[in-house]
Amino acid sequence: MNEHVSLPIPAEEATQRPNSRKVFIKTYGCQMNVYDSVRMGDALASEGYVTTEEMAEADLVLLNTCHIREKAADKVYSALGRLREMKKTRAAEGREFMIGVTGCVAQAEGEEIVRREPAVDVVIGPQTYHRLPQALKSARTGRRVVDTEYAVEDKFEHLPKPEKATTRARGVTSFLTVQEGCDKFCTFCVVPYTRGSEVSRPLAQILDEAHRLVDAGVREITLLGQNVNAWRSEGPDGREWSLGDLLYRLADVPGLARLRYTTSHPRDMDDKLIEAHRDLRSLMPYLHLPVQAGSDRILKAMNRRHTAAEYLRLIERIRTARPDIAMSGDFIVGFPGETDADFEDTLRLVEEVGYASAYSFKYSTRPGTPGAELGDQVPEDVKSERLERLQALLLKQQADFAKSCVGKVIDLLLEKPGRMPGQVIGRSPWLQSVNVDAKTSQIGDIIPVRIIGTGPNSLFAEPAERLMRA
Ligand code: 5AD
Ligand code: SF4
């Protein structure tokens, strides 16, 4: 998962409004934070702020933070130390410089942030970022704001919609948050505490946003949720709709060529969702389905509510529905009590599944979660050694998968200019980055290309005459 993501900036806006204030938003953590950063940019745009990619020219810096692992929060505090120094320099120049902390560290630490770092002006949790403009106003009058409530109002209803040109400038792919929070309570995880319990956005709101995106030129939408496949909403037929129903509905939106969703829990992969993979050509054959561990004993201690065999059976069913699906997952090594034999079970499960991509982490104790109370913590060097072995295996699988694509003709969605002139970067159906010779005017098109080689993190392709499905 991305640890640092800068927002795509509609650069032309900055030149249109030279006197406006500038905001730099640094995004840590998952795609849900990337989406939130975009929406915070929208909320601030209505107050005259334009986004900038240069921290040095910003009047406001927002750190949109992640609390999933210990290191993530540490990074925020060291970044705040640097911002404090910048604020001092700016004050000496008589220029405004405000600092805001948003996201999951804001939610979890609240007042503690301003106690540790008094230079911070606003602390806003993920449920209240629509109140950011008012919070900044009040901070300007000397009243620092810490707002980490679970707002009663729906933030999405209160967020201004971006202008079409702004959406277009953000690119041809977009995230769309449909669900937030988690009720699963895996014993290692802070999400149920920082993001709260599961809430689904209503169908009409999602369709409205999807149409707005497509209208502005977006070709691919990735539906987001901490537990996206737990999404539920009343459908027009009065029935309760699940994520599968939503995908069937979105597949009918003209111009919307590609659909993805992330992140899913194995327990919530229902029949309808699996059928959607069988039936919908616009639903891309890629599924991020974290398993975390391969030992039933550890899965139980993690409160994952499924066994390794159940996970494997599920993947078998998904592969029957969509044979070319590429699997992705998350893994944690060194959960308290994990023995060598448990870890071997994880390696075995990985061998059995064959992942096209994966994310793996050392267990990190999160205060307040049940995992933190467990004895039998695994020593750091053991965790490091296990992670190294697991990552070597996962990387090999990823490279093997990439190699297996060479020679195939695939559909490529052209997304952005490449590093070399005359090159464009696109995405394969399996979420791989692909370089191809094409014109930037083709960005947004889906073209047939032949994969001709692999690089460390991407593939190389040449335009192909016609599509011969492998
Ligand atoms: N330690 C290590 N990794 C964690 N994750 C969540 N909590 C922790 C933790 N305490 C990982 C899981 C999850 C991903 C988003 O982050 O693998 O799926
Ligand atoms: Fe965390 Fe588990 Fe919920 Fe995923 S399913 S957000 S790992 S508690």
Side-chain angles (χ1 to χ4, degrees):
M1 225 155 276
N2 294 328
E3 287 291 337
H4 301 273
V5 194
S6 291
L7 276 182
I9 306 303
E12 74 274 19
E13 265 192 21
T15 48
Q16 276 165 15
R17 298 184 228 153
N19 295 323
S20 50
R21 289 191 170 107
K22 295 198 172 98
V23 55
F24 174 88
I25 308 179
K26 174 129 187 132
T27 309
Y28 299 83
C30 65
Q31 294 99 325
M32 308 241 352
N33 269 9
V34 176
Y35 177 85
D36 285 351
S37 290
V38 170
R39 301 303 306 261
M40 279 190 255
D42 294 342
L44 292 168
S46 63
E47 299 294 304
Y49 275 96
V50 294
T51 45
T52 173
E53 253 178 312
E54 297 297 327
M55 193 192 278
E57 62 176 31
D59 309 286
L60 165 66
V61 171
L62 293 179
L63 302 183
N64 191 15
T65 62
C66 170
H67 203 234
I68 198 96
R69 284 169 293 275
E70 202 175 353
K71 274 210 194 110
D74 293 346
K75 276 186 208 157
V76 172
Y77 281 111
S78 61
L80 285 176
R82 289 192 297 275
L83 290 175
R84 184 206 321 130
E85 294 309 310
M86 271 181 82
K87 191 168 187 168
K88 271 192 209 152
T89 315
R90 288 293 182 84
E93 294 166 358
R95 257 185 81 188
E96 180 179 283
F97 186 71
M98 299 182 86
I99 305 172
V101 181
T102 62
C104 294
V105 175
Q107 187 65 41
E109 305 255 299
E111 295 279 349
E112 177 62 19
I113 295 176
V114 286
R115 252 197 303 276
R116 259 177 86 168
E117 195 45 83
V120 172
D121 298 286
V122 294
V123 175
I124 305 267
Q127 306 310 328
T128 45
Y129 61 76
H130 56 296
R131 297 182 190 157
L132 197 50
Q134 296 98 290
L136 290 171
K137 274 187 200 136
S138 123
R140 239 176 239 124
T141 66
R143 257 194 342 110
R144 192 186 278 141
V145 174
V146 176
D147 186 355
T148 55
E149 277 178 43
Y150 288 96
V152 279
E153 74 274 14
D154 176 359
K155 69 171 173 247
F156 295 112
E157 290 286 0
H158 286 76
L159 282 166
K161 294 185 172 74
E163 285 167 23
K164 198 163 166 175
T166 307
T167 302
R168 176 165 298 146
R170 284 176 181 153
V172 295
T173 64
S174 180
F175 291 136
L176 198 176
T177 292
V178 300
Q179 183 278 338
E180 289 188 288
C182 184
D183 294 342
K184 289 286 184 295
F185 290 94
C186 299
T187 54
F188 51 81
C189 187
V190 287
V191 167
Y193 311 97
T194 53
R195 290 277 179 158
S197 54
E198 287 170 3
V199 178
S200 294
R201 286 180 75 186
L203 177 67
Q205 218 184 60
I206 295 166
L207 293 178
D208 192 53
E209 192 164 329
H211 279 285
R212 186 176 56 68
L213 290 169
V214 172
D215 215 36
V218 166
R219 307 295 321 276
E220 174 181 300
I221 291 181
T222 302
L223 305 179
L224 298 180
Q226 262 94 27
N227 201 7
V228 71
N229 56 349
W231 179 85
R232 296 285 180 277
S233 175
E234 191 184 326
D237 49 6
R239 205 170 44 81
E240 188 184 64
W241 278 25
S242 66
L243 188 69
D245 298 293
L246 175 60
L247 288 165
Y248 277 95
R249 176 66 187 78
L250 287 171
D252 286 339
V253 173
L256 181 49
R258 289 182 163 193
L259 291 164
R260 303 178 186 276
Y261 61 95
T262 197
T263 287
S264 300
H265 192 284
R267 282 285 292 256
D268 293 319
M269 288 300 302
D270 63 12
D271 292 348
K272 190 85 188 197
L273 189 49
I274 297 175
E275 283 161 21
H277 279 285
R278 182 194 63 200
D279 296 342
L280 304 176
R281 287 303 101 182
S282 55
L283 180 56
M284 290 295 100
Y286 176 94
L287 178 61
H288 183 66
L289 193 64
V291 64
Q292 316 293 358
S295 144
D296 287 344
R297 215 174 56 81
I298 296 298
L299 286 170
K300 192 163 194 316
M302 286 177 163
N303 191 32
R304 288 292 294 176
R305 309 169 195 216
H306 60 77
T307 62
E310 281 162 351
Y311 178 81
L312 292 170
R313 245 192 329 269
L314 176 60
I315 290 184
E316 221 175 86
R317 284 177 54 215
I318 296 165
R319 281 186 166 146
T320 305
R322 185 75 206 237
D324 65 339
I325 201 154
M327 292 305 304
S328 165
D330 287 342
F331 297 88
I332 296 177
V333 299
F335 187 77
E338 185 186 74
T339 62
D340 283 341
D342 292 323
F343 175 64
E344 295 296 332
D345 286 345
T346 299
L347 295 178
R348 228 184 334 270
L349 178 137
V350 170
E351 293 278 11
E352 206 148 325
V353 173
Y355 286 91
S357 83
Y359 303 86
S360 46
F361 315 96
K362 286 192 255 185
Y363 172 67
S364 161
T365 310
R366 306 313 287 131
T369 61
E373 309 297 316
L374 297 173
D376 215 2
Q377 297 281 333
V378 175
E380 201 53 33
D381 57 332
V382 177
K383 283 189 208 170
S384 301
E385 192 255 335
R386 287 181 188 164
L387 187 65
E388 218 171 286
R389 281 182 66 197
L390 176 61
Q391 289 189 336
L393 175 59
L394 290 167
L395 275 175
K396 185 178 177 307
Q397 291 191 341
Q398 189 172 331
D400 287 348
F401 179 70
K403 275 186 227 142
S404 74
C405 296
V406 175
K408 280 187 189 164
V409 173
I410 64 160
D411 283 334
L412 189 67
L413 170 57
L414 299 177
E415 283 187 18
K416 56 186 178 195
R419 238 178 274 154
M420 302 296 192
Q423 265 197 353
V424 172
I425 299 177
R427 288 263 176 206
S428 77
W430 308 287
L431 208 60
Q432 298 141 303
S433 216
V434 182
N435 296 282
V436 68
D437 288 341
K439 296 191 203 70
T440 47
S441 59
Q442 290 175 279
I443 288 174
D445 290 352
I446 295 175
I447 62 164
V449 300
R450 178 175 290 100
I451 306 294
I452 52 173
T454 63
N457 288 308
S458 58
L459 302 173
F460 299 96
E462 59 184 18
E465 289 300 306
R466 70 204 154 79
L467 193 56
M468 298 174 301
R469 288 194 191 278

Short mmCIF file of all heavy atoms in Angstrom, two decimals, residues 171-225:
data_model
loop_
_atom_site.label_atom_id
_atom_site.label_comp_id
_atom_site.label_asym_id
_atom_site.label_seq_id
_atom_site.Cartn_x
_atom_site.Cartn_y
_atom_site.Cartn_z
N GLY A 171 -7.26 13.23 -13.69
CA GLY A 171 -6.92 12.01 -14.42
C GLY A 171 -8.12 11.17 -14.80
O GLY A 171 -9.26 11.49 -14.46
N VAL A 172 -7.84 10.08 -15.50
CA VAL A 172 -8.91 9.26 -16.08
C VAL A 172 -9.31 8.10 -15.17
O VAL A 172 -10.20 7.32 -15.49
CB VAL A 172 -8.53 8.74 -17.48
CG1 VAL A 172 -8.38 9.90 -18.46
CG2 VAL A 172 -7.28 7.87 -17.43
N THR A 173 -8.62 7.97 -14.03
CA THR A 173 -9.05 6.97 -13.05
C THR A 173 -9.38 7.71 -11.76
O THR A 173 -8.81 8.76 -11.48
CB THR A 173 -7.94 5.94 -12.75
OG1 THR A 173 -6.84 6.63 -12.14
CG2 THR A 173 -7.46 5.25 -14.01
N SER A 174 -10.30 7.15 -11.00
CA SER A 174 -10.68 7.83 -9.76
C SER A 174 -11.07 6.83 -8.68
O SER A 174 -11.59 5.75 -8.98
CB SER A 174 -11.87 8.76 -10.04
OG SER A 174 -12.25 9.42 -8.85
N PHE A 175 -10.82 7.23 -7.44
CA PHE A 175 -11.35 6.48 -6.31
C PHE A 175 -12.74 7.02 -5.98
O PHE A 175 -13.04 8.19 -6.23
CB PHE A 175 -10.47 6.67 -5.08
CG PHE A 175 -9.11 6.02 -5.19
CD1 PHE A 175 -7.97 6.70 -4.78
CD2 PHE A 175 -8.98 4.74 -5.67
CE1 PHE A 175 -6.71 6.11 -4.86
CE2 PHE A 175 -7.73 4.13 -5.75
CZ PHE A 175 -6.60 4.82 -5.35
N LEU A 176 -13.56 6.17 -5.41
CA LEU A 176 -14.88 6.61 -4.94
C LEU A 176 -15.18 5.82 -3.65
O LEU A 176 -15.39 4.60 -3.70
CB LEU A 176 -15.93 6.32 -6.02
CG LEU A 176 -17.28 7.05 -5.96
CD1 LEU A 176 -18.13 6.69 -7.17
CD2 LEU A 176 -18.05 6.88 -4.70
N THR A 177 -15.14 6.51 -2.53
CA THR A 177 -15.41 5.83 -1.26
C THR A 177 -16.90 5.51 -1.15
O THR A 177 -17.74 6.41 -1.30
CB THR A 177 -14.94 6.70 -0.08
OG1 THR A 177 -13.51 6.75 -0.12
CG2 THR A 177 -15.38 6.11 1.26
N VAL A 178 -17.22 4.24 -0.94
CA VAL A 178 -18.63 3.84 -0.82
C VAL A 178 -18.95 3.36 0.59
O VAL A 178 -20.12 3.23 0.97
CB VAL A 178 -19.01 2.73 -1.84
CG1 VAL A 178 -18.79 3.23 -3.27
CG2 VAL A 178 -18.28 1.43 -1.60
N GLN A 179 -17.91 3.08 1.37
CA GLN A 179 -18.12 2.47 2.68
C GLN A 179 -16.97 2.89 3.58
O GLN A 179 -15.85 3.05 3.10
CB GLN A 179 -18.14 0.93 2.48
CG GLN A 179 -18.42 0.07 3.66
CD GLN A 179 -17.17 -0.19 4.54
OE1 GLN A 179 -16.04 -0.07 4.09
NE2 GLN A 179 -17.41 -0.52 5.78
N GLU A 180 -17.27 3.09 4.85
CA GLU A 180 -16.20 3.43 5.79
C GLU A 180 -16.38 2.64 7.07
O GLU A 180 -17.49 2.25 7.43
CB GLU A 180 -16.25 4.91 6.15
CG GLU A 180 -15.83 5.81 5.02
CD GLU A 180 -15.70 7.25 5.48
OE1 GLU A 180 -16.73 7.87 5.75
OE2 GLU A 180 -14.58 7.72 5.59
N GLY A 181 -15.29 2.43 7.75
CA GLY A 181 -15.34 1.77 9.06
C GLY A 181 -15.32 0.26 8.95
O GLY A 181 -15.39 -0.31 7.85
N CYS A 182 -15.18 -0.39 10.09
CA CYS A 182 -15.08 -1.84 10.08
C CYS A 182 -15.62 -2.42 11.38
O CYS A 182 -15.35 -1.90 12.46
CB CYS A 182 -13.62 -2.24 9.90
SG CYS A 182 -13.44 -4.02 9.77
N ASP A 183 -16.41 -3.49 11.24
CA ASP A 183 -16.97 -4.18 12.42
C ASP A 183 -16.29 -5.51 12.67
O ASP A 183 -16.78 -6.32 13.44
CB ASP A 183 -18.47 -4.47 12.20
CG ASP A 183 -19.30 -3.21 12.12
OD1 ASP A 183 -18.81 -2.15 12.55
OD2 ASP A 183 -20.44 -3.29 11.61
N LYS A 184 -15.19 -5.79 11.97
CA LYS A 184 -14.61 -7.12 12.06
C LYS A 184 -13.73 -7.31 13.29
O LYS A 184 -13.58 -8.42 13.79
CB LYS A 184 -13.79 -7.43 10.79
CG LYS A 184 -14.63 -7.64 9.54
CD LYS A 184 -15.33 -8.98 9.58
CE LYS A 184 -16.12 -9.29 8.32
NZ LYS A 184 -17.26 -8.40 8.08
N PHE A 185 -13.11 -6.26 13.75
CA PHE A 185 -12.27 -6.33 14.96
C PHE A 185 -11.21 -7.43 14.91
O PHE A 185 -11.12 -8.25 15.83
CB PHE A 185 -13.14 -6.46 16.23
CG PHE A 185 -13.89 -5.21 16.54
CD1 PHE A 185 -15.21 -5.04 16.08
CD2 PHE A 185 -13.30 -4.19 17.26
CE1 PHE A 185 -15.90 -3.86 16.35
CE2 PHE A 185 -13.99 -3.00 17.53
CZ PHE A 185 -15.29 -2.85 17.08
N CYS A 186 -10.43 -7.44 13.86
CA CYS A 186 -9.23 -8.28 13.87
C CYS A 186 -8.38 -7.77 15.04
O CYS A 186 -8.29 -6.56 15.26
CB CYS A 186 -8.46 -8.14 12.56
SG CYS A 186 -9.44 -8.64 11.14
N THR A 187 -7.75 -8.69 15.76
CA THR A 187 -7.18 -8.28 17.05
C THR A 187 -5.91 -7.44 16.93
O THR A 187 -5.43 -6.90 17.92
CB THR A 187 -6.88 -9.53 17.91
OG1 THR A 187 -6.06 -10.42 17.14
CG2 THR A 187 -8.15 -10.24 18.33
N PHE A 188 -5.36 -7.33 15.71
CA PHE A 188 -4.15 -6.52 15.52
C PHE A 188 -4.48 -5.10 15.08
O PHE A 188 -3.61 -4.25 15.01
CB PHE A 188 -3.22 -7.16 14.47
CG PHE A 188 -3.94 -7.50 13.18
CD1 PHE A 188 -4.18 -6.54 12.23
CD2 PHE A 188 -4.38 -8.80 12.95
CE1 PHE A 188 -4.86 -6.84 11.07
CE2 PHE A 188 -5.06 -9.12 11.77
CZ PHE A 188 -5.30 -8.13 10.84
N CYS A 189 -5.74 -4.82 14.73
CA CYS A 189 -6.05 -3.67 13.88
C CYS A 189 -6.72 -2.51 14.60
O CYS A 189 -7.66 -2.71 15.38
CB CYS A 189 -6.95 -4.16 12.74
SG CYS A 189 -7.23 -2.88 11.51
N VAL A 190 -6.27 -1.28 14.30
CA VAL A 190 -6.84 -0.08 14.93
C VAL A 190 -8.05 0.47 14.18
O VAL A 190 -8.76 1.34 14.71
CB VAL A 190 -5.81 1.08 15.02
CG1 VAL A 190 -4.77 0.81 16.07
CG2 VAL A 190 -5.17 1.37 13.67
N VAL A 191 -8.27 -0.02 12.96
CA VAL A 191 -9.29 0.60 12.11
C VAL A 191 -10.69 0.69 12.77
O VAL A 191 -11.33 1.73 12.72
CB VAL A 191 -9.36 -0.11 10.72
CG1 VAL A 191 -10.61 0.30 9.95
CG2 VAL A 191 -8.12 0.23 9.92
N PRO A 192 -11.17 -0.38 13.43
CA PRO A 192 -12.50 -0.26 14.04
C PRO A 192 -12.56 0.86 15.09
O PRO A 192 -13.64 1.37 15.38
CB PRO A 192 -12.73 -1.63 14.68
CG PRO A 192 -11.86 -2.56 13.89
CD PRO A 192 -10.63 -1.74 13.55
N TYR A 193 -11.40 1.23 15.64
CA TYR A 193 -11.36 2.29 16.65
C TYR A 193 -11.17 3.67 16.02
O TYR A 193 -11.74 4.66 16.48
CB TYR A 193 -10.25 2.01 17.67
CG TYR A 193 -10.30 0.58 18.18
CD1 TYR A 193 -9.49 -0.40 17.63
CD2 TYR A 193 -11.22 0.21 19.18
CE1 TYR A 193 -9.55 -1.72 18.05
CE2 TYR A 193 -11.29 -1.11 19.61
CZ TYR A 193 -10.46 -2.07 19.04
OH TYR A 193 -10.54 -3.37 19.45
N THR A 194 -10.33 3.75 14.96
CA THR A 194 -10.09 5.07 14.36
C THR A 194 -11.18 5.46 13.36
O THR A 194 -11.56 6.61 13.26
CB THR A 194 -8.73 5.14 13.63
OG1 THR A 194 -8.66 4.06 12.70
CG2 THR A 194 -7.58 5.04 14.59
N ARG A 195 -11.68 4.49 12.63
CA ARG A 195 -12.67 4.80 11.59
C ARG A 195 -14.09 4.45 12.02
O ARG A 195 -15.05 4.73 11.30
CB ARG A 195 -12.32 4.07 10.29
CG ARG A 195 -11.08 4.61 9.60
CD ARG A 195 -11.40 5.85 8.76
NE ARG A 195 -10.22 6.38 8.11
CZ ARG A 195 -10.24 7.15 7.02
NH1 ARG A 195 -11.38 7.47 6.45
NH2 ARG A 195 -9.14 7.61 6.50
N GLY A 196 -14.21 3.80 13.17
CA GLY A 196 -15.54 3.51 13.69
C GLY A 196 -16.21 2.33 13.01
O GLY A 196 -15.59 1.59 12.24
N SER A 197 -17.51 2.17 13.30
CA SER A 197 -18.21 1.00 12.78
C SER A 197 -18.63 1.23 11.33
O SER A 197 -18.60 2.34 10.81
CB SER A 197 -19.39 0.65 13.66
OG SER A 197 -20.20 1.77 13.80
N GLU A 198 -19.03 0.12 10.69
CA GLU A 198 -19.31 0.15 9.25
C GLU A 198 -20.46 1.08 8.89
O GLU A 198 -21.55 0.96 9.47
CB GLU A 198 -19.64 -1.27 8.76
CG GLU A 198 -18.41 -2.16 8.70
CD GLU A 198 -18.75 -3.62 8.45
OE1 GLU A 198 -19.94 -3.96 8.25
OE2 GLU A 198 -17.80 -4.44 8.46
N VAL A 199 -20.21 1.95 7.95
CA VAL A 199 -21.26 2.83 7.42
C VAL A 199 -21.16 2.78 5.90
O VAL A 199 -20.06 2.90 5.34
CB VAL A 199 -21.07 4.30 7.88
CG1 VAL A 199 -22.14 5.19 7.29
CG2 VAL A 199 -21.07 4.40 9.39
N SER A 200 -22.31 2.59 5.24
CA SER A 200 -22.32 2.58 3.78
C SER A 200 -22.91 3.88 3.26
O SER A 200 -23.90 4.37 3.82
CB SER A 200 -23.20 1.44 3.26
OG SER A 200 -22.63 0.20 3.60
N ARG A 201 -22.33 4.41 2.20
CA ARG A 201 -22.96 5.57 1.56
C ARG A 201 -24.17 5.07 0.77
O ARG A 201 -24.12 4.02 0.15
CB ARG A 201 -21.98 6.27 0.62
CG ARG A 201 -20.93 7.06 1.34
CD ARG A 201 -19.98 7.72 0.36
NE ARG A 201 -20.57 8.87 -0.31
CZ ARG A 201 -19.95 9.54 -1.29
NH1 ARG A 201 -18.77 9.13 -1.72
NH2 ARG A 201 -20.53 10.59 -1.85
N PRO A 202 -25.25 5.87 0.75
CA PRO A 202 -26.45 5.41 0.03
C PRO A 202 -26.21 5.32 -1.48
O PRO A 202 -25.42 6.08 -2.05
CB PRO A 202 -27.50 6.47 0.36
CG PRO A 202 -26.84 7.53 1.13
CD PRO A 202 -25.43 7.13 1.44
N LEU A 203 -26.93 4.39 -2.10
CA LEU A 203 -26.81 4.11 -3.53
C LEU A 203 -26.90 5.38 -4.38
O LEU A 203 -26.06 5.60 -5.26
CB LEU A 203 -27.90 3.12 -3.93
CG LEU A 203 -28.00 2.74 -5.39
CD1 LEU A 203 -26.78 1.95 -5.83
CD2 LEU A 203 -29.27 1.93 -5.65
N ALA A 204 -27.92 6.21 -4.11
CA ALA A 204 -28.15 7.38 -4.97
C ALA A 204 -26.94 8.31 -4.94
O ALA A 204 -26.53 8.86 -5.98
CB ALA A 204 -29.40 8.12 -4.52
N GLN A 205 -26.35 8.47 -3.76
CA GLN A 205 -25.18 9.35 -3.62
C GLN A 205 -24.00 8.82 -4.45
O GLN A 205 -23.28 9.57 -5.11
CB GLN A 205 -24.78 9.37 -2.15
CG GLN A 205 -24.31 10.70 -1.65
CD GLN A 205 -23.84 10.58 -0.20
OE1 GLN A 205 -22.92 9.83 0.13
NE2 GLN A 205 -24.48 11.33 0.67
N ILE A 206 -23.84 7.50 -4.42
CA ILE A 206 -22.73 6.88 -5.16
C ILE A 206 -22.94 7.02 -6.66
O ILE A 206 -22.03 7.38 -7.41
CB ILE A 206 -22.60 5.39 -4.76
CG1 ILE A 206 -22.22 5.28 -3.28
CG2 ILE A 206 -21.60 4.67 -5.64
CD1 ILE A 206 -22.40 3.89 -2.70
N LEU A 207 -24.18 6.75 -7.11
CA LEU A 207 -24.46 6.85 -8.54
C LEU A 207 -24.26 8.27 -9.03
O LEU A 207 -23.69 8.51 -10.11
CB LEU A 207 -25.88 6.37 -8.84
CG LEU A 207 -26.13 4.88 -8.60
CD1 LEU A 207 -27.58 4.52 -8.89
CD2 LEU A 207 -25.20 4.02 -9.46
N ASP A 208 -24.68 9.21 -8.20
CA ASP A 208 -24.53 10.61 -8.54
C ASP A 208 -23.05 10.96 -8.73
O ASP A 208 -22.65 11.59 -9.72
CB ASP A 208 -25.13 11.42 -7.38
CG ASP A 208 -25.29 12.86 -7.72
OD1 ASP A 208 -25.90 13.11 -8.77
OD2 ASP A 208 -24.77 13.71 -6.97
N GLU A 209 -22.23 10.50 -7.79
CA GLU A 209 -20.80 10.80 -7.88
C GLU A 209 -20.17 10.09 -9.07
O GLU A 209 -19.33 10.65 -9.77
CB GLU A 209 -20.10 10.39 -6.57
CG GLU A 209 -18.69 10.93 -6.49
CD GLU A 209 -18.10 10.89 -5.08
OE1 GLU A 209 -18.85 11.01 -4.09
OE2 GLU A 209 -16.88 10.71 -4.97
N ALA A 210 -20.58 8.85 -9.31
CA ALA A 210 -20.02 8.10 -10.45
C ALA A 210 -20.36 8.82 -11.77
O ALA A 210 -19.49 8.98 -12.63
CB ALA A 210 -20.56 6.67 -10.46
N HIS A 211 -21.59 9.26 -11.90
CA HIS A 211 -21.99 9.97 -13.14
C HIS A 211 -21.19 11.26 -13.29
O HIS A 211 -20.76 11.60 -14.39
CB HIS A 211 -23.49 10.27 -13.13
CG HIS A 211 -24.32 9.08 -13.54
ND1 HIS A 211 -24.41 8.65 -14.84
CD2 HIS A 211 -25.06 8.21 -12.82
CE1 HIS A 211 -25.18 7.58 -14.91
NE2 HIS A 211 -25.59 7.28 -13.68
N ARG A 212 -21.01 11.96 -12.18
CA ARG A 212 -20.24 13.22 -12.23
C ARG A 212 -18.80 12.94 -12.70
O ARG A 212 -18.25 13.65 -13.53
CB ARG A 212 -20.24 13.86 -10.84
CG ARG A 212 -19.61 15.23 -10.80
CD ARG A 212 -19.72 15.87 -9.43
NE ARG A 212 -19.17 15.09 -8.33
CZ ARG A 212 -17.88 14.83 -8.15
NH1 ARG A 212 -17.00 15.26 -9.03
NH2 ARG A 212 -17.47 14.13 -7.12
N LEU A 213 -18.21 11.87 -12.19
CA LEU A 213 -16.83 11.52 -12.56
C LEU A 213 -16.75 11.17 -14.05
O LEU A 213 -15.88 11.66 -14.78
CB LEU A 213 -16.33 10.35 -11.71
CG LEU A 213 -16.07 10.66 -10.22
CD1 LEU A 213 -15.85 9.37 -9.43
CD2 LEU A 213 -14.87 11.59 -10.05
N VAL A 214 -17.67 10.32 -14.49
CA VAL A 214 -17.65 9.86 -15.88
C VAL A 214 -17.88 11.04 -16.82
O VAL A 214 -17.24 11.18 -17.87
CB VAL A 214 -18.69 8.74 -16.09
CG1 VAL A 214 -18.83 8.38 -17.57
CG2 VAL A 214 -18.31 7.51 -15.28
N ASP A 215 -18.77 11.92 -16.41
CA ASP A 215 -19.07 13.11 -17.19
C ASP A 215 -17.83 13.97 -17.40
O ASP A 215 -17.68 14.66 -18.40
CB ASP A 215 -20.09 13.91 -16.36
CG ASP A 215 -21.05 14.60 -17.23
OD1 ASP A 215 -21.41 14.02 -18.26
OD2 ASP A 215 -21.44 15.74 -16.87
N ALA A 216 -16.91 13.92 -16.44
CA ALA A 216 -15.68 14.72 -16.53
C ALA A 216 -14.56 13.93 -17.21
O ALA A 216 -13.43 14.38 -17.25
CB ALA A 216 -15.26 15.15 -15.13
N GLY A 217 -14.85 12.74 -17.71
CA GLY A 217 -13.84 12.00 -18.48
C GLY A 217 -13.20 10.83 -17.76
O GLY A 217 -12.29 10.20 -18.30
N VAL A 218 -13.66 10.51 -16.54
CA VAL A 218 -13.10 9.36 -15.82
C VAL A 218 -13.54 8.07 -16.49
O VAL A 218 -14.73 7.90 -16.81
CB VAL A 218 -13.51 9.40 -14.32
CG1 VAL A 218 -13.23 8.07 -13.64
CG2 VAL A 218 -12.79 10.53 -13.61
N ARG A 219 -12.59 7.16 -16.75
CA ARG A 219 -12.91 5.89 -17.41
C ARG A 219 -12.93 4.71 -16.46
O ARG A 219 -13.46 3.65 -16.75
CB ARG A 219 -11.86 5.57 -18.50
CG ARG A 219 -11.61 6.65 -19.53
CD ARG A 219 -12.81 6.96 -20.43
NE ARG A 219 -13.63 5.85 -20.87
CZ ARG A 219 -13.39 5.07 -21.92
NH1 ARG A 219 -12.30 5.25 -22.63
NH2 ARG A 219 -14.22 4.11 -22.26
N GLU A 220 -12.22 4.86 -15.34
CA GLU A 220 -12.11 3.74 -14.40
C GLU A 220 -12.38 4.23 -12.99
O GLU A 220 -11.81 5.22 -12.55
CB GLU A 220 -10.70 3.14 -14.46
CG GLU A 220 -10.47 2.08 -13.40
CD GLU A 220 -9.06 1.50 -13.43
OE1 GLU A 220 -8.66 0.94 -14.45
OE2 GLU A 220 -8.36 1.62 -12.40
N ILE A 221 -13.26 3.53 -12.27
CA ILE A 221 -13.54 3.90 -10.87
C ILE A 221 -13.19 2.72 -9.97
O ILE A 221 -13.57 1.58 -10.25
CB ILE A 221 -15.03 4.29 -10.69
CG1 ILE A 221 -15.31 5.62 -11.41
CG2 ILE A 221 -15.39 4.41 -9.21
CD1 ILE A 221 -16.75 6.11 -11.29
N THR A 222 -12.45 3.02 -8.91
CA THR A 222 -12.19 2.02 -7.88
C THR A 222 -13.03 2.36 -6.66
O THR A 222 -12.86 3.43 -6.06
CB THR A 222 -10.69 2.01 -7.50
OG1 THR A 222 -9.92 1.75 -8.68
CG2 THR A 222 -10.39 0.93 -6.46
N LEU A 223 -13.95 1.48 -6.34
CA LEU A 223 -14.80 1.69 -5.16
C LEU A 223 -13.97 1.36 -3.92
O LEU A 223 -13.29 0.33 -3.88
CB LEU A 223 -16.02 0.77 -5.21
CG LEU A 223 -16.87 0.86 -6.48
CD1 LEU A 223 -18.03 -0.13 -6.40
CD2 LEU A 223 -17.40 2.28 -6.69
N LEU A 224 -14.04 2.24 -2.94
CA LEU A 224 -13.22 2.06 -1.74
C LEU A 224 -14.05 1.86 -0.49
O LEU A 224 -15.13 2.43 -0.35
CB LEU A 224 -12.34 3.29 -1.50
CG LEU A 224 -11.30 3.68 -2.53
CD1 LEU A 224 -10.57 4.94 -2.06
CD2 LEU A 224 -10.32 2.55 -2.77
N GLY A 225 -13.49 1.08 0.41
CA GLY A 225 -14.05 0.94 1.75
C GLY A 225 -13.06 0.16 2.58
O GLY A 225 -12.32 -0.67 2.03
#
